Amino acid sequence: MKKWYALLFAVLLAVGVLAGCGEKKEQVKEDNTTGVEKKAEVAFPVTIKDASGNDVVLENKPEKIVSLIPSNTEIAYALGADKEIVGVSDFDNYPEEVTKKEKIGGMEVNLEKIISLQPNLVLAHASTAHNSEAGLQQLKDAGIAVLVVNDAQNFDQVFDSISMIGKATGEAKKADELIQGMKEKLAEIKEKAKDIKEKKTVFIEVSPAPDIFTTGNNTFMNEMLTVINAENLANDQEGWIQLDQEEIIKRNPDVIITTYGGYEEAKPAEQVLGRKGWENVNAVKNKQVIDVDSDRVTRSGPRIVEGVEDLAKAIYPEVFK
């Protein structure tokens, strides 16, 4: 099992050129959902209220950025801030060129390494910030701006994350365009799923036996299933939860989706299909056990809409060809 697989569960269960004085200033409009200012173009200095409730002041457009979690990195890349990224976590793997960036650690970041890269901005994350307050404070004491991005649990919160990073990187317009494109694609998928007559019950397995975890209500993966008109087998429970095998068998899902194929040597579908006692589960009997790309369905970033499409094609292949 790769290191990022361990980070995934820790998270789920914890669950350019410098801009100068001549930059164009635009009319400001307050956005109450993100806690940041909306502008057609961001004029620095800019103040952003982050997920920790702190007002983060950026005097200039960041020349060097360190990202502590893959979802932040993917958002920054999607906004065109790839050249500014100088450091990423050990778990970053997308896009491919990110693997060539300096590594700053995994579950525990290397503070000395981060400081040595002399970043203007560190993109932290609310899912881990409470466990690393001392380290983040050390970065702040070194004169580095630290922005804690929200731990998104639904699409709107993913959009908030993109908007926040867009403001911080001086790419507010690109962020708005990215969000709009994601919303339009989601609407297309939802429209196509509207006419599905026989809704399927789906069990999403985010970790293999013996400790099987799944996604319950108030998670973005539950929302992804709702968008494609599928019923989450565990939607009567909250957050990321563990289910025992007897309960899963009893609930008898029509489809089983696994999300760890890229991090396990054994093939997930074969693991599930070969489990003793699962022979009469509809998904097993009908061989409706499909593995999807973990990163596209679990990272709260721009590729989350691609993850929705992956789920749609796996669950309703006759509709989403």
Side-chain angles (χ1 to χ4, degrees), residues 103-170:
K103 297 297 186 290
I104 50 81
M107 296 293 290
E108 295 184 5
V109 298
N110 186 332
L111 297 174
E112 292 183 358
K113 178 68 174 180
I114 295 174
I115 294 172
S116 74
L117 294 173
Q118 299 181 319
N120 312 108
L121 173 65
V122 167
L123 295 174
H125 199 262
S127 63
T128 56
H130 61 286
N131 291 326
S132 54
E133 290 182 5
L136 296 182
Q137 186 59 52
Q138 186 173 333
L139 296 177
K140 295 175 186 177
D141 292 342
I144 301 169
V146 176
L147 185 74
V148 179
V149 179
N150 60 309
D151 183 15
Q153 297 300 319
N154 54 53
F155 288 123
D156 284 340
Q157 290 174 9
V158 172
F159 300 149
D160 289 348
S161 299
I162 294 171
S163 181
M164 182 181 292
I165 294 176
K167 304 300 187 294
T169 57

Side-chain angles (χ1 to χ4, degrees), residues 86-317:
V86 295
V88 297
S89 79
D90 294 347
F91 310 113
D92 279 81
N93 59 3
Y94 185 89
E96 186 176 352
E97 54 263 34
V98 80
T99 59
K100 300 176 183 178
K101 297 289 185 178
E102 292 283 348
K103 297 297 186 290
I104 50 81
M107 296 293 290
E108 295 184 5
V109 298
N110 186 332
L111 297 174
E112 292 183 358
K113 178 68 174 180
I114 295 174
I115 294 172
S116 74
L117 294 173
Q118 299 181 319
N120 312 108
L121 173 65
V122 167
L123 295 174
H125 199 262
S127 63
T128 56
H130 61 286
N131 291 326
S132 54
E133 290 182 5
L136 296 182
Q137 186 59 52
Q138 186 173 333
L139 296 177
K140 295 175 186 177
D141 292 342
I144 301 169
V146 176
L147 185 74
V148 179
V149 179
N150 60 309
D151 183 15
Q153 297 300 319
N154 54 53
F155 288 123
D156 284 340
Q157 290 174 9
V158 172
F159 300 149
D160 289 348
S161 299
I162 294 171
S163 181
M164 182 181 292
I165 294 176
K167 304 300 187 294
T169 57
E171 301 294 349
K173 184 177 180 181
K174 286 184 180 179
D176 289 342
E177 292 171 350
L178 176 60
I179 291 168
Q180 184 59 33
M182 292 173 69
K183 287 181 177 180
E184 290 174 358
K185 188 62 180 177
L186 281 172
E188 290 177 9
I189 295 171
K190 194 169 185 178
E191 180 65 24
K192 186 176 286 189
K194 189 172 63 175
D195 296 329
I196 292 173
K197 298 296 188 293
E198 296 183 13
K199 181 182 290 190
K200 294 182 181 180
T201 300
V202 181
F203 174 64
I204 296 185
E205 185 169 295
V206 295
S207 70
D211 299 320
I212 300 177
F213 281 86
T214 190
T215 175
N217 196 21
N218 290 324
T219 63
F220 58 79
M221 290 186 74
N222 183 74
E223 188 174 14
M224 292 164 82
L225 291 176
T226 301
V227 166
I228 61 174
N229 204 11
E231 183 175 354
N232 181 7
L233 177 137
N235 64 5
D236 59 334
Q237 301 190 50
E238 295 288 317
W240 304 89
I241 46 92
Q242 184 175 3
L243 285 182
D244 62 51
Q245 296 195 39
E246 289 184 3
E247 183 63 23
I248 299 167
I249 294 169
K250 179 181 177 181
R251 296 192 180 200
N252 195 20
D254 299 309
V255 180
I256 295 175
I257 300 292
T258 60
T259 66
Y260 47 86
Y263 299 99
E264 285 279 309
E265 292 184 4
K267 295 180 180 179
E270 292 180 3
Q271 288 187 42
V272 175
L273 291 170
R275 283 178 187 160
K276 186 176 180 179
W278 288 52
E279 297 86 358
N280 293 321
V281 173
N282 285 339
V284 174
K285 284 194 301 184
N286 299 320
K287 292 183 169 48
Q288 294 299 298
V289 183
I290 307 101
D291 188 70
V292 297
D293 188 306
S294 174
D295 297 339
R296 285 155 64 113
V297 297
T298 62
R299 285 185 186 171
S300 51
R303 291 194 295 160
I304 204 72
V305 177
E306 297 175 34
V308 176
E309 287 188 294
D310 291 344
L311 290 174
K313 291 175 181 178
I315 297 166
Y316 297 114

Side-chain angles (χ1 to χ4, degrees), residues 53-90:
N54 297 319
D55 288 328
V56 180
V57 179
L58 295 168
E59 296 293 341
N60 300 291
K61 179 180 172 71
E63 275 191 321
K64 295 181 178 181
I65 301 171
V66 169
S67 173
L68 305 186
I69 196 168
S71 57
N72 286 348
T73 307
E74 291 197 21
I75 292 172
Y77 263 79
L79 296 178
D82 50 303
K83 292 181 180 178
E84 287 79 11
I85 296 287
V86 295
V88 297
S89 79
D90 294 347

